[in-house]
Amino acid sequence: MLAHLAPCTPVFTESLPGVTGAGLCSRELAERVDPATAQLPCDAQTDEITTVVWRRLRPLHPARLFEAVDELVTQSVRSRGRFWLASRPDRLLAWDAVAGIVSVEDAGPWLAALPEAAWDMVSPARRTAADLDWDHITGDRVQHLVFSGPDLDRERLHALLDSCLLTEEEALAGSDVWAGYDDPFAHILDLKEIA
């Protein structure tokens, strides 16, 4: 995460000729790309590009999502967003895919997983983003993925992603049961925690 950047430190580089005034605010730039605060686009259609937004509150089953990854990333040119796996209910996960290659990263805790006293230690942008996604049951935990590419089939993408969600019965079983799910993402996410 880019939270270690100093507040509003001007950034100047030779690759940005003509930058005048206060320059670029590194904190604001970081908030634009931070998966927890990034403003994601809405559904859109132009002559050439379709943007499909998928938003749900129920957690994803890690094994079912893992099996769907290849199909998801090959159907679009670009996809990104934030999501939560049932096996990792306290961790905000970032999804970033371009041209068939996907990156899944742990982007830190969901605000709902933190004690309220810790909320003052996160940026105002993070608290605002959490407030926009807040649900009285799941907190700021949300599936919010955006796919862009030519002629995307919105219904097909939604059906595929919906098939990866926990069923109602699985959701009611609770997080103690979810913790026992096989998590094929573990070799990616746990490796980054060790590094």
Side-chain angles (χ1 to χ4, degrees), residues 85-137:
L85 293 175
S87 55
R88 298 170 184 268
D90 294 339
R91 306 307 293 179
L92 185 156
L93 300 175
W95 173 285
D96 193 6
V98 177
I101 299 173
V102 65
S103 169
V104 172
E105 294 182 358
D106 185 321
W110 293 102
L111 242 50
L114 296 175
E116 197 169 325
W119 291 13
D120 289 336
M121 296 171 27
V122 299
S123 74
R126 176 69 176 97
R127 289 192 306 271
T128 300
D131 192 41
L132 292 172
D133 284 335
W134 201 265
D135 176 80
H136 70 282
I137 296 172

Side-chain angles (χ1 to χ4, degrees), residues 43 50-53 152-159:
D43 279 330
T50 304
T51 298
V52 175
V53 176
L152 292 182
D153 184 339
R154 181 181 192 279
E155 287 72 30
R156 175 140 175 74
L157 274 171
H158 278 229

Side-chain angles (χ1 to χ4, degrees), residues 28-109:
E28 290 174 15
L29 289 173
E31 288 169 351
R32 287 185 183 178
V33 297
D34 182 341
T37 57
Q39 296 299 310
L40 300 169
C42 299
D43 279 330
Q45 175 76 46
T46 67
D47 290 339
E48 298 173 2
I49 300 295
T50 304
T51 298
V52 175
V53 176
W54 181 74
R55 232 177 114 76
R56 301 289 187 269
L57 294 178
R58 194 178 293 177
L60 287 158
H61 190 288
R64 290 197 292 264
L65 178 62
F66 193 80
E67 285 187 25
V69 167
D70 285 343
E71 188 173 347
L72 289 168
V73 299
T74 57
Q75 285 193 20
S76 64
V77 174
R78 175 86 165 97
S79 57
R80 61 188 171 132
R82 49 190 169 264
F83 68 103
W84 65 299
L85 293 175
S87 55
R88 298 170 184 268
D90 294 339
R91 306 307 293 179
L92 185 156
L93 300 175
W95 173 285
D96 193 6
V98 177
I101 299 173
V102 65
S103 169
V104 172
E105 294 182 358
D106 185 321

